[in-house]
């Protein structure tokens, strides 16, 4: 079994409370995500940042998000900095060996080269972290299962706007075959 770690949408535009796209539960997951990223690098697992990045004219923003995006200062726009930016937290310490995929919609697989990259790396198991659980994590989970990957979701490295939403989506992903683990349990198994 070869695993790859996916860090989905952990960008200032989703983490910072000043952004209209902020996910309330996302910022508290940064330390657990940072520990997991570091451990995966040390274990030689591929680390893949799956990020959003919009054009300044908004032509690639989802229809359901376009008005909020425009009214809220155009977060996640190419070249943006500060609380609305495309930047990942400094705690993640991006390294030259890391990969980055820019996704146009919720799923990390939808219209991206992620499947090709994973197959070239001989990966059969994706470990999902990031935000938001009911949208990007869940759609990526379902697409990964549809493509015959094993899926592990680290529950304390994922986030939603409420605990109820988080728990319902974790249960739903478990019911379709994803393995739900804490980052601590995952890291303990990684060290064995």
């Amino acid at each position: 079994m070869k695993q790859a770690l996916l860090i989905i949408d952990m960008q200032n535009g989703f983490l910072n409370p000043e952004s209209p796209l902020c996910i309330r539960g996302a910022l508290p997951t940064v330390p657990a995500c940072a520990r997991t990223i570091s451990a995966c690098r040390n274990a030689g697992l591929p680390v893949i940042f799956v990020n959003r990045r919009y054009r300044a004219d908004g032509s690639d923003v989802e229809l359901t998000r376009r008005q909020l995006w425009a009214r809220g200062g155009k977060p996640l726009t190419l070249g943006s900095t500060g609380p609305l930016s495309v930047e990942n937290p400094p705690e993640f310490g991006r390294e030259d060996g890391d990969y980055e995929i820019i996704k146009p919609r919720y799923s990390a697989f939808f219209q991206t080269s992620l499947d090709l990259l994973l197959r070239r790396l001989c990966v059969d198991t994706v470990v999902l972290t990031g935000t938001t659980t009911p949208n990007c994590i869940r759609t990526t989970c379902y697409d990964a299962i549809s493509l015959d990957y094993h899926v592990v979701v680290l529950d304390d490295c994922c986030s939603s706007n409420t605990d109820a939403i988080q728990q319902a989506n974790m249960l739903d992903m478990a019911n379709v075959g994803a393995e739900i683990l804490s980052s601590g349990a995952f890291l303990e198994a990684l060290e064995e």
Side-chain angles (χ1 to χ4, degrees):
M1 178 169 76
K2 183 170 181 185
Q3 300 174 319
L5 177 68
L6 275 61
I7 306 100
I8 300 173
D9 288 346
M10 291 296 285
Q11 300 166 265
N12 284 344
F14 291 118
L15 298 171
N16 195 300
E18 294 177 43
S19 172
L21 303 181
C22 181
I23 305 303
R24 286 191 297 274
L27 192 57
T29 68
V30 168
C33 288
R35 284 190 300 276
T36 301
I37 292 166
S38 178
C40 286
R41 284 184 185 126
N42 290 338
L45 271 63
V47 172
I48 305 169
F49 288 86
V50 182
N51 289 325
R52 278 289 178 66
R53 190 165 54 213
Y54 296 128
R55 293 184 185 101
D57 67 0
S59 60
D60 56 351
V61 177
E62 305 89 319
L63 182 62
T64 57
R65 182 178 278 163
R66 195 169 294 146
Q67 287 183 348
L68 177 63
W69 175 85
R71 284 193 320 263
K74 301 183 178 181
L76 303 172
T77 301
L78 180 62
S80 59
T81 59
L84 304 181
S85 79
V86 297
E87 297 168 316
N88 299 111
E91 295 91 331
F92 293 178
R94 295 283 293 271
E95 295 186 1
D96 289 342
D98 297 340
Y99 298 90
E100 182 178 36
I101 299 284
I102 302 300
K103 65 183 179 71
R105 294 292 182 262
Y106 296 129
S107 173
F109 289 97
F110 181 76
Q111 295 187 1
T112 73
S113 61
L114 179 60
D115 185 46
L116 174 63
L117 174 63
L118 294 172
R119 293 189 193 283
R120 289 278 172 94
L121 296 173
C122 300
V123 167
D124 61 9
T125 302
V126 292
V127 180
L128 304 182
T129 65
T131 199
T132 171
T133 302
N135 298 332
C136 303
I137 303 302
R138 186 171 155 173
T139 58
T140 299
C141 170
Y142 282 32
D143 283 351
I145 289 170
S146 296
L147 291 165
D148 289 328
Y149 290 99
H150 300 283
V151 177
V152 176
V153 182
L154 304 185
D155 60 2
D156 59 326
C157 291
C158 296
S159 57
S160 300
N161 275 317
T162 70
D163 288 337
I165 292 170
Q166 181 75 0
Q167 295 313 312
N169 281 276
M170 287 296 169
L171 179 60
D172 193 48
M173 288 186 288
N175 285 339
V176 298
E179 183 177 5
I180 310 299
L181 295 175
S182 69
S183 61
F186 171 74
L187 295 178
E188 189 175 303
L190 194 61
E191 293 171 1
E192 293 177 352

